[in-house]
């Protein structure tokens, strides 16, 4: 189980519970067989910690504030999403493999330079160029949010 109090506990399926704790772990528990209960892996934390000369706890993701999961098509893609303390990103997890997914969802950059540039354009009377991040385009599907400032990738 958790070494610190759990912060969120939810049923994933009829016989499985997902829980997040202050110990920076994200776990799945089976209500039928305790042998099937385990922690969802964040990678080789011991190896990373040893390389950086820090404790393993310092390398792990911050504690999970909230999470959501969907059992539909769990074999096709990452189907669990977590939000962490002091981290604007949302992390994907593959339930079937019990590992951290390869996608990290980050909000568009709201840095000071972008706001300053927008303010200066407004002062000069220029109409700011608005790129709709929800618009369908090359290599995108409707509803896929992208960073409008990012340069297009070349194949």
């Amino acid at each position: 189980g958790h070494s610190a109090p759990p912060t969120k506990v939810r049923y994933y399926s009829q016989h499985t519970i997902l829980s997040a704790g202050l110990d920076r772990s994200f776990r799945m528990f089976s209500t039928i067989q305790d042998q099937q209960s385990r922690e969802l892996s964040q990678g080789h934390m011991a190896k990373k910690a040893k390389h950086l000369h820090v404790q393993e706890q310092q390398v792990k993701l911050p504690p999970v504030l909230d999470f959501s999961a969907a059992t539909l098509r769990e074999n096709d893609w990452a189907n669990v999403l977590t939000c962490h303390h002091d981290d604007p990103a949302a992390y994907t997890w593959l339930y079937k493999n019990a590992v951290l997914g390869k996608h990290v969802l980050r909000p568009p950059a709201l840095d000071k330079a972008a706001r300053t540039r927008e303010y200066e354009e407004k002062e000069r009377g220029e109409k700011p160029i608005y790129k709709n991040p929800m618009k369908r385009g090359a290599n995108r599907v409707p509803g896929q949010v992208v960073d409008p400032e990012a340069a297009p990738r070349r194949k």
Side-chain angles (χ1 to χ4, degrees), residues 14-26:
Q14 186 178 2
H15 301 293
T16 309
I17 296 172
L18 291 176
S19 73
L22 291 175
D23 57 355
R24 298 179 178 216
S25 67
F26 191 48

Side-chain angles (χ1 to χ4, degrees), residues 82-103:
T82 58
C83 299
H84 298 262
H85 180 68
D86 287 337
D87 192 347
Y91 294 85
T92 59
W93 299 78
L94 286 103
Y95 174 83
K96 79 171 188 175
N97 298 340
V99 296
L100 188 62
K102 64 181 178 180
H103 299 286

Side-chain angles (χ1 to χ4, degrees), residues 131 138-139 146-155:
K131 295 180 183 175
N139 302 321
V146 296
D147 183 6
E149 300 295 323
R153 294 188 311 184
R154 295 180 186 223
K155 292 185 179 181

Side-chain angles (χ1 to χ4, degrees), residues 100-116:
L100 188 62
K102 64 181 178 180
H103 299 286
V104 178
L105 309 174
R106 300 188 189 284
L110 298 174
D111 61 348
K112 187 176 179 181
R115 288 193 309 268
T116 304

Side-chain angles (χ1 to χ4, degrees), residues 12-149:
Y12 174 76
S13 65
Q14 186 178 2
H15 301 293
T16 309
I17 296 172
L18 291 176
S19 73
L22 291 175
D23 57 355
R24 298 179 178 216
S25 67
F26 191 48
R27 297 183 162 274
M28 65 170 82
F29 295 96
S30 172
T31 58
I32 297 175
Q33 285 188 318
D34 195 41
Q35 297 102 321
Q36 294 177 349
S37 300
R38 58 186 170 166
E39 181 176 351
L40 278 76
S41 174
Q42 295 184 25
H44 302 287
M45 292 294 120
K47 187 177 179 181
K48 288 178 187 176
K50 186 176 179 182
H51 178 72
L52 296 170
H53 305 291
V54 295
Q55 291 182 351
E56 190 174 333
Q57 270 312 87
Q58 293 175 304
V59 182
K60 282 187 162 186
L61 290 171
V64 175
L65 293 176
D66 204 358
F67 63 88
S68 183
T71 56
L72 189 64
R73 300 192 62 173
E74 69 181 18
N75 294 325
D76 296 334
W77 51 64
N79 62 324
V80 180
L81 191 68
T82 58
C83 299
H84 298 262
H85 180 68
D86 287 337
D87 192 347
Y91 294 85
T92 59
W93 299 78
L94 286 103
Y95 174 83
K96 79 171 188 175
N97 298 340
V99 296
L100 188 62
K102 64 181 178 180
H103 299 286
V104 178
L105 309 174
R106 300 188 189 284
L110 298 174
D111 61 348
K112 187 176 179 181
R115 288 193 309 268
T116 304
R117 186 171 54 248
E118 189 176 289
Y119 176 77
E120 288 171 352
E121 288 172 352
K122 193 175 185 181
E123 287 292 313
R124 291 191 300 254
E126 297 175 7
K127 188 175 182 180
I129 300 170
Y130 176 73
K131 295 180 183 175
N132 184 353
M134 301 296 280
K135 185 178 177 186
R136 186 182 184 118
N139 302 321
R140 277 193 291 170
V141 296
Q144 179 183 0
V145 179
V146 296
D147 183 6
E149 300 295 323

